[in-house]
Amino acid sequence: MTNWKHIAGGVVALAVLGAGGWAYAKLNTARSAVADDRVALADVKNPEPAAIARGEYVMRTGDCVACHTAGKGPFAGGHEIATPFGTLLSSNITPDRRTGIGAMTEREFFDAMRHGQGSKGFLYPAMPYTAYAKLTDQDMHDLWAYMATIEPVENPVNENGGMRFPFNVRLAMAGWNLLFFDNSGFEETAGQSPQWQRGKYLVDGGTHCSVCHSPRNLLGAEVASRYLQGGNLGFWYAPDLTGNPHAGQGKTPAESLVEYLKTGGKTSLASGPMAEAVEHSFQYLTDADLRAIAVYLKTLPASGVTRPAPLPAESPAMQRGALRYEVNCSACHGVAGEGMGNVAPAFAGNPALQSDDATNPIHLMLVGGRAAATHDKPTGAGMPSFAWKMDDRQIAETLDYIRNTWGNAARPVDPAEVARLRERLGAGKNLPAN
């Protein structure tokens, strides 16, 4: 009996040690030791101009200005981020000592950016520290230099005030990190080219593509087995980026991906959150980096989405959709779905329209949208709302026609889907016919 007690005690001790080691690996911030822990951001004087320029570029890859800007000005926070657990507000990241990050040292900045541990406690993964964990020490040093040049803005933000209990308890994020956070830096993949390595570093690190383009589980963690296979963002859907030839990027040439990221596109036009990413982030990246991203994405294995049989064109619903398309859509998008260059995207063969998730086209039909406005294409195309003109069934039928004509094939859109999104968007009802 004594031997069994000793064995059991040893097993428990090993389990405790193992759990402790596992927790340490998930939560430790030892990598931040390369950063200065004495000078606060507000006290940083005259950082090197070259470091500032490189840091601004890192900021652009991370799209920091888009998420941390609302009514008080650049980087002053307050931008609403809807989550299934409540609404988060982005933090003030200007060098203001009291309401921003001006009192942070560089090491504390590293802890927040790469480990999700900020001055107010654990961060929520809506701030993509899960991706920024991959940023190199040099990129972090340069980003710190750039942050020192931002104009301080006094703007107190209650970041998690809109989160429901118990999700408003920051300490709970420690448990989330233990379960889901990969607390490791970027590691190169053997046998791949420098261009591919750079593309993967940007995709998995600064540009944090998987944060939107990977599905998430019930606790808000990315599903690693479905990496970049498309993710629902509530009012929007981030499409499949894999080599899937039907709903992904399998048939999209690398140069078309580069054009899309740099200018907002041509065959497809960036809208919604992706338009913001193009405007604030991707258009500022070098052509070499955009090509590296495209090269990496073109090597992703295809997701398992299969092409369904297209809906029969002779069905009454498809016929009604065809007539409605001709009257309302063909002037811009073409009788054959060919589009109108930079003004209206092509529908024929457009993988973004053929996803199983029809959130994006429903959203645009209900409230309209605006394409990205970039330096190369400064006039972003616009689309009007049809919520006033079509009821839920009519919108569903019109989209069924678009998604199943000119070689396209997609599952039918349920009018109930349109009704739910109409209510969530506050799009209003269609006007009664005379």
Side-chain angles (χ1 to χ4, degrees):
M1 180 66 73
T2 302
N3 288 339
W4 282 110
K5 286 182 178 179
H6 288 163
I7 292 172
V11 169
V12 170
L14 288 172
V16 169
L17 288 172
W22 170 64
Y24 177 78
K26 291 282 188 173
L27 300 178
N28 89 85
T29 62
R31 284 198 294 146
S32 298
V34 298
D36 174 75
D37 200 24
R38 296 166 297 176
V39 180
L41 180 63
D43 296 324
V44 173
K45 304 298 182 185
N46 302 318
E48 295 181 9
I52 294 171
R54 292 193 304 267
E56 181 177 9
Y57 190 82
V58 175
M59 182 278 294
R60 290 296 185 185
T61 67
D63 201 12
C64 307
V65 69
C67 284
H68 287 277
T69 301
K72 295 291 185 176
F75 304 104
H79 177 74
E80 290 190 0
I81 303 168
T83 80
F85 316 104
T87 301
L88 286 167
L89 297 180
S90 62
S91 57
N92 180 347
I93 57 170
T94 72
D96 182 69
R97 291 183 190 273
R98 190 178 69 84
T99 65
I101 61 171
M104 268 189 176
T105 65
E106 186 183 30
R107 173 155 190 168
E108 290 168 337
F109 180 70
F110 278 38
D111 287 346
M113 283 287 297
R114 296 200 301 195
H115 304 287
Q117 300 178 35
S119 57
K120 296 180 182 178
F122 286 92
L123 304 183
Y124 292 84
M127 188 284 193
Y129 64 87
T130 51
Y132 297 156
K134 306 303 179 188
L135 294 178
T136 64
D137 294 342
Q138 186 61 61
D139 276 354
M140 288 296 301
H141 284 306
D142 293 337
L143 180 59
W144 172 256
Y146 172 74
M147 299 304 293
T149 69
I150 294 172
E151 186 70 24
V153 176
E154 184 173 359
N155 182 36
V157 177
N158 184 13
E159 291 92 344
N160 60 340
M163 297 290 281
R164 298 187 297 273
F165 180 82
F167 306 109
N168 61 346
V169 179
R170 287 181 180 268
L171 187 59
M173 294 302 101
W176 191 94
N177 287 345
L178 290 176
L179 291 172
F180 304 117
F181 180 40
D182 178 10
N183 189 18
S184 60
F186 179 75
E187 294 183 5
E188 292 194 349
T189 302
Q192 295 290 350
S193 69
Q195 185 182 44
W196 187 95
Q197 308 281 10
R198 176 65 177 171
K200 180 173 174 57
Y201 173 71
L202 290 167
V203 167
D204 289 352
T207 63
H208 56 276
C209 301
S210 68
V211 170
C212 292
H213 289 272
S214 292
R216 292 178 178 267
N217 63 24
L218 292 176
L219 291 178
E222 296 174 30
V223 180
S225 61
R226 297 177 62 191
Y227 170 70
L228 296 180
Q229 292 182 17
N232 191 281
L233 303 175
F235 297 149
W236 294 97
Y237 177 74
D240 189 337
L241 297 183
T242 73
N244 187 290
H246 172 63
Q249 304 303 314
K251 294 181 179 179
T252 305
E255 286 307 311
S256 293
L257 289 176
V258 171
E259 180 181 14
Y260 179 83
L261 294 173
K262 187 177 183 65
T263 71
K266 184 175 182 180
T267 302
S268 292
L269 298 181
S271 59
M274 192 61 202
E276 293 180 0
V278 170
E279 288 181 358
H280 296 296
S281 176
F282 288 109
Q283 70 164 323
Y284 292 93
L285 272 59
T286 64
D287 288 348
D289 275 351
L290 293 177
R291 289 192 190 95
I293 290 172
V295 164
Y296 172 68
L297 291 178
K298 291 298 291 181
T299 66
L300 294 178
S303 65
V305 177
T306 57
R307 184 180 189 273
L311 300 180
E314 64 275 8
S315 73
M318 284 285 281
Q319 291 293 311
R320 291 193 297 268
L323 178 58
R324 204 168 288 114
Y325 175 85
E326 182 179 354
V327 171
N328 295 282
C329 314
S330 63
C332 292
H333 295 282
V335 174
E338 71 274 20
M340 192 186 295
N342 298 323
V343 176
F347 288 160
N350 190 329
L353 288 171
Q354 300 177 72
S355 168
D356 286 343
D357 191 309
T359 299
N360 290 354
I362 295 173
H363 187 135
L364 291 169
M365 286 287 288
L366 286 171
V367 299
R370 180 186 65 81
T374 60
H375 298 140
D376 288 351
K377 298 176 182 177
T379 304
M383 175 175 165
S385 163
F386 288 93
W388 66 275
K389 192 174 186 180
M390 300 185 197
D391 62 26
D392 301 333
R393 177 186 60 80
Q394 291 168 333
I395 287 177
E397 289 177 352
T398 304
L399 291 178
D400 282 346
Y401 174 77
I402 292 169
R403 283 158 50 90
N404 288 275
T405 308
W406 317 298
N408 294 347
R411 67 162 184 81
V413 175
D414 186 343
E417 292 180 75
V418 183
R420 284 192 293 270
L421 196 55
R422 185 191 291 266
E423 181 178 2
R424 294 181 66 195
L425 291 170
K429 299 294 185 182
N430 61 296
L431 297 177
N434 292 329

